[in-house]
Amino acid sequence: MKKLNPPQQQAVQNTEGPLLLLAGAGSGKTQVITTRIVHLLKDKRIPADNILAVTFTNKAAREMKERVSNMAGKMAGGIVISTFHSLGVRILRRDIRALGFKPNFSIYSSSDQAGVLRQAMREKDIDPKQCNPDTILWRISGAKNRLIGPQEFKPLSDDRIELATAAIYPRYQELLKGFNAIDFDDIIMLSVKLLQSNTAILNHWQERFQYIMVDEYQDTNASQYLLISLLAKKHGNLCVVGDDDQSIYGWRGAEVQNILNFENDHANCRVIKLEQNYRSTSAILEAANSVIKNNPVRTDKALWSAVGKGREIDLIVAASEEDEAEQVVEGMLMEQFKGNLSWSDMAVLYRSNAQSRAFEERLRQERIPYVVIGGQQFYERKEVKDAIAYLKVIDNPSDEASLLRIINFPRRGIGDGTLLHLNQWSMEHEVPLFEALGRVREIDGISESSKKAVAGFHEMMAGVIEGFNTRYGMGAQVNALFNRLRIEDELYRTLNDAAQARKRIENIEQVVNSLAIYEEQNPRGTLSTFLERISLMDEDKPSEDSKEHGLNAVTLMSLHSSKGLEFNHVWLVGMEEDLLPHKRSIEEDPTVAEERRLCYVGITRARRHLTISRCQTRRKYGATEQRTPSRFLDEIPEHLLITISSDTGDKEDKAVDLAADFFSRMLGE
């Protein structure tokens, strides 16, 4: 208790009744939660069996349990500190008989679910080529998280996928029950159903858990909210911990209103704000507060720090995304040279994973180790490999591995059986596979429709290969090819998840941009040398061992993946309209409230220094377009920002400053 500040001590000591603990970024909430649990055990003498703490990840639950055990020893035996789903499984194992299941039910993995769904689709005569099974499972998952069962599910439109989901969902659930199995989303939905439908079972669990704490409450969805409400209703000793300013998972069902409405939902609720930040400098927190206060609906609070003002925030105004990456990496080299930071102290945060490409390339050029968290490295992504395979075939039609990768992407009705016949004929007649495609009419065992598809693909690619000329702009020619292939339509059609499709389209766009930038920087460059450069970069990629977060490597990650982490120096890149805030979010919510929260999360990841960057131009499918500074930049006070432009003079000034700093240190030593 002596280690806690006054508001933290109040949070620990207020154990009776509903408590809303608004814990800002870096305010020591985990310490408060664990100390509060130990206070219940040691000072209030509450039996461990009567205490429940719920969080969102197994890692967080494990760390919390270890801290409590270290402080309370044997008194902590029997306490339940778990994730929502572990709690649900505990409830179901004891009482699921009331829903017609056996207690030894199986929890199906995603691959098991896919098998059950395919069976349901066959029975309902629904073609998986017309309705993507993954998308149907995603719709079913969304319904379950909103506590909409198979009988209550109604299609919201005449959309083919919605209608298919409505037809398949009831049969899918029947099959699961027949196998005595549930899926991951059933865990919470069935727990809620069980508690709502059986008073005796509800009373048992309410008596068992008389003191309940929930961490990251701003991330709860409808089903999790109701589960906790049911358990806490009898005794009312519910403490929820969270920060509405860090609610950034609306796209996966989290409802920020759960924490905003908590005070109204619970009579006599006490609210305690943890506003002292132990992580960042005052300059960083002032910037974060200045941005987030512009959100129209939020709880009133402002982070402050006793760490000191710290350095101002650097603002890089780059000419292009390549220049942005160059200046960011130069900044990293400078910080490391000055002896202030190791590579693991540095992180690059971006809104879209597609933005990682330029930074990865620059870091590899400088031989700086890095890890990509929450996403594959750029050139390892499937859609990127598909796009590069087209370039490899244009450059070398004899590259049969790449040819086989693209022959049915986008789908053109060329199946495995056709490929088997083509390969076999190619080997028997000792001709390259590409030539065999052009002679498909001579090959037996292939249907007329497949022959037509193969011949059409060969004719198209032969024309592209023959007409490809580096003098006419390689990026423009590849962009024209991808438009002709209608890859965007293919991704929207096969994924049936617009957000996921857009991400993959952005990555393919980056392939075109990378080629266009390469030829601009290398006027005599060829497609072969561009592909060679990519291959060599692939050899330089970080080893498998370095992928484990925590080694001495720069971290690249999306803003969504960064929540809960902190770094001494953060580069928050791409601070432009249509990136942060993202174009899609602007269209869906003109207030861009969740995007502003994302920006806030990014700023508060920085401990000692923050650099923000934006570009004046960016490539879009190889063509240059002007960029507009993010509205969030205007919300940061000018006195906090030091602007660094792309001008040569600025770079020379930085070099002089670096040299001066180095010699000052040497003289001092």
Side-chain angles (χ1 to χ4, degrees):
M1 290 287 284
K2 291 178 181 178
K3 296 178 182 178
L4 305 182
N5 63 38
Q8 290 175 329
Q9 291 181 7
Q10 291 174 30
V12 168
Q13 292 168 334
N14 278 271
T15 58
E16 308 305 306
L19 172 65
L20 171 59
L21 193 55
L22 292 169
S27 61
K29 68 180 176 65
T30 305
Q31 178 74 10
V32 171
I33 294 170
T34 51
T35 306
R36 192 174 189 272
I37 292 171
V38 175
H39 174 63
L40 285 168
L41 290 168
K42 284 191 163 187
D43 301 330
K44 303 282 290 185
R45 296 292 172 176
I46 305 299
D49 283 353
N50 294 146
I51 300 172
L52 168 67
V54 187
T55 188
F56 273 83
T57 67
N58 287 311
K59 180 174 179 286
R62 196 163 49 246
E63 289 176 354
M64 207 178 288
K65 195 174 292 185
E66 286 173 2
R67 285 203 198 187
V68 170
S69 295
N70 288 338
M71 285 193 281
K74 292 181 180 180
M75 292 185 75
I79 194 170
V80 177
I81 301 176
S82 74
T83 64
F84 274 97
H85 288 91
S86 295
L87 171 63
V89 170
R90 181 184 292 267
I91 293 169
L92 294 176
R93 288 291 182 205
R94 180 185 183 274
D95 294 314
I96 201 170
R97 286 185 187 277
L99 297 177
F101 290 81
K102 297 174 184 175
N104 64 338
F105 60 86
S106 299
I107 302 171
Y108 273 10
S109 66
S110 55
S111 59
D112 295 327
Q113 287 179 261
V116 176
L117 189 80
R118 282 194 295 272
Q119 182 175 335
M121 291 179 77
R122 282 194 300 271
E123 292 181 15
K124 295 294 182 179
D125 198 25
I126 293 174
D127 185 357
K129 293 180 181 178
Q130 297 295 320
C131 298
N132 188 304
D134 289 341
T135 306
I136 293 175
L137 275 176
W138 181 74
R139 299 275 175 99
I140 291 174
S141 173
K144 289 181 177 183
N145 285 331
R146 299 191 307 276
L147 297 172
I148 300 172
Q151 307 309 323
E152 295 81 36
F153 185 90
K154 305 296 179 191
L156 299 176
S157 66
D158 291 334
D159 172 63
R160 184 173 62 223
I161 298 293
E162 277 285 292
L163 295 172
T165 304
I168 292 167
Y169 186 8
R171 182 55 183 154
Y172 169 75
Q173 284 301 109
E174 288 173 2
L175 288 169
L176 282 176
K177 193 168 186 178
F179 300 142
N180 194 40
I182 64 175
D183 66 23
F184 201 67
D185 298 302
D186 281 328
I187 293 172
I188 305 297
M189 187 177 78
L190 293 181
S191 296
V192 170
K193 185 177 179 181
L194 192 59
L195 297 177
Q196 286 179 323
S197 62
N198 193 303
T199 305
I201 292 172
L202 174 62
N203 186 64
H204 166 81
W205 290 106
Q206 287 177 336
E207 285 300 322
R208 169 73 193 275
F209 299 128
Q210 297 180 19
Y211 291 83
I212 301 174
M213 276 161 281
V214 184
D215 191 17
E216 303 288 5
Y217 193 69
Q218 76 280 349
D219 294 334
T220 54
N221 61 28
S223 58
Q224 292 160 343
Y225 168 83
L226 189 51
L227 176 62
I228 293 300
S229 297
L230 287 166
L231 291 173
K233 190 173 183 179
K234 185 171 185 178
H235 293 280
N237 300 320
L238 173 61
C239 169
V240 301
V241 187
D243 180 7
D244 55 296
D245 289 335
Q246 296 187 74
S247 179
I248 59 173
Y249 299 122
W251 50 276
R252 70 182 189 197
E255 297 186 9
V256 69
Q257 291 302 321
N258 289 348
I259 193 167
L260 291 174
N261 294 338
F262 186 84
E263 196 175 352
N264 296 327
D265 292 344
H266 297 81
N268 303 315
C269 174
R270 173 139 194 188
V271 180
I272 297 174
K273 299 176 184 178
L274 303 185
E275 297 172 294
Q276 181 174 357
N277 176 284
Y278 292 91
R279 175 190 300 160
S280 307
T281 64
S282 296
I284 291 168
L285 296 182
E286 185 181 350
N289 290 332
S290 298
V291 170
I292 201 63
K293 73 180 183 182
N294 292 283
N295 262 0
V297 181
R298 61 182 290 267
T299 54
D300 182 36
K301 55 189 175 300
L303 294 176
W304 62 276
S305 172
V307 172
K309 182 184 178 184
R311 292 161 59 182
E312 285 85 358
I313 297 165
D314 287 332
L315 171 61
I316 295 173
V317 181
S320 65
E321 60 260 57
E322 305 304 309
D323 183 40
E324 179 184 42
E326 181 183 349
Q327 292 203 56
V328 166
V329 174
E330 277 183 5
M332 291 177 177
L333 288 165
M334 184 182 293
E335 293 290 347
Q336 216 242 4
F337 178 68
K338 287 159 67 175
N340 290 350
L341 302 173
S342 60
W343 299 127
S344 59
D345 288 322
M346 310 180 198
V348 179
L349 309 183
Y350 37 73
R351 176 63 177 84
S352 167
N353 282 319
Q355 291 171 256
S356 75
R357 193 263 315 161
F359 298 98
E360 288 189 57
E361 290 184 5
R362 192 70 193 181
L363 287 164
R364 288 181 185 182
Q365 287 173 22
E366 298 292 345
R367 300 280 179 169
I368 296 174
Y370 72 90
V371 289
V372 180
I373 305 296
Q376 291 174 295
Q377 293 182 32
F378 182 77
Y379 288 107
E380 292 179 354
R381 296 166 191 164
K382 178 188 179 300
E383 62 276 12
V384 172
K385 287 184 174 182
D386 291 337
I388 295 294
Y390 269 100
L391 305 189
K392 288 182 176 180
V393 172
I394 293 170
D395 183 57
N396 175 21
S398 298
D399 183 346
E400 295 191 358
S402 295
L403 184 60
L404 289 169
R405 187 176 186 100
I406 65 172
I407 195 168
N408 202 39
F409 176 79
R411 288 183 296 183
R412 45 181 66 93
I414 303 173
D416 293 341
T418 299
L419 292 178
L420 191 63
H421 284 296
L422 285 166
N423 271 310
Q424 191 172 352
W425 193 89
S426 168
M427 287 187 291
E428 288 173 356
H429 292 76
E430 296 183 346
V431 299
L433 181 59
F434 190 75
E435 183 182 332
L437 302 186
R439 297 170 61 180
V440 67
R441 299 290 181 190
E442 305 173 31
I443 304 175
D444 295 329
I446 299 176
S447 68
E448 282 303 312
S449 61
S450 294
K451 284 183 177 181
K452 184 178 178 181
V454 170
F457 171 73
H458 178 268
E459 183 181 350
M460 178 197 69
M461 288 304 297
V464 170
I465 292 165
E466 184 179 356
F468 199 83
N469 192 319
T470 57
R471 289 178 298 177
Y472 299 143
M474 293 186 287
Q477 291 174 84
V478 170
N479 188 38
L481 171 62
F482 290 170
N483 285 335
R484 181 178 174 184
L485 292 168
R486 302 174 71 90
I487 290 177
E488 288 193 18
D489 293 346
E490 170 76 357
L491 290 171
Y492 278 119
R493 182 171 61 252
T494 54
L495 292 171
N496 280 310
D497 177 355
Q500 196 61 239
R502 277 192 291 264
K503 287 179 183 177
R504 298 194 182 188
I505 290 165
E506 286 174 359
N507 289 333
I508 290 174
E509 179 187 321
Q510 282 295 325
V511 173
V512 179
N513 292 345
S514 182
L515 179 56
I517 290 164
Y518 172 78
E519 61 181 329
E520 185 179 278
Q521 295 175 344
N522 303 272
R524 295 187 178 183
T526 64
L527 188 57
S528 295
T529 54
F530 172 74
L531 293 169
E532 180 182 302
R533 177 171 169 267
I534 290 174
S535 298
L536 291 174
M537 282 175 54
D538 204 45
E539 289 178 7
D540 288 340
K541 70 186 178 186
S543 68
E544 292 295 316
D545 292 339
S546 71
K547 288 182 181 179
E548 187 64 35
H549 184 53
L551 297 183
N552 190 24
V554 173
T555 299
L556 305 184
M557 60 169 50
S558 70
L559 286 164
H560 282 104
S561 298
S562 73
K563 188 167 174 290
L565 301 177
E566 59 184 73
F567 303 89
N568 276 337
H569 193 145
V570 166
W571 281 264
L572 179 52
V573 301
M575 188 73 93
E576 302 144 35
E577 289 292 298
D578 295 344
L579 262 183
L580 185 63
H582 198 278
K583 182 179 181 180
R584 182 177 68 253
S585 298
I586 297 170
E587 293 167 354
E588 293 174 355
D589 175 18
T591 72
V592 294
E594 186 155 322
E595 292 292 297
R596 188 173 280 106
R597 293 196 289 267
L598 261 181
C599 181
Y600 173 83
V601 165
I603 292 171
T604 55
R605 297 313 93 196
R607 298 181 69 244
R608 293 293 171 263
H609 191 49
L610 173 67
T611 299
I612 295 172
S613 67
R614 70 173 181 87
C615 294
Q616 295 170 319
T617 65
R618 278 187 191 272
R619 296 274 184 173
K620 189 171 180 63
Y621 286 117
T624 301
E625 68 172 23
Q626 296 295 315
R627 305 293 295 178
T628 304
S630 169
R631 67 191 74 184
F632 303 148
L633 270 177
D634 291 335
E635 296 171 359
I636 298 175
E638 285 187 20
H639 71 270
L640 294 176
L641 297 172
I642 296 178
T643 303
I644 303 168
S645 72
S646 301
D647 296 340
T648 306
D650 285 332
K651 291 187 177 182
E652 289 174 353
D653 289 344
K654 285 201 299 184
V656 170
D657 290 343
L658 178 59
D661 181 83
F662 173 72
F663 284 115
S664 294
R665 285 196 300 110
M666 292 296 290
L667 288 169
E669 291 170 4

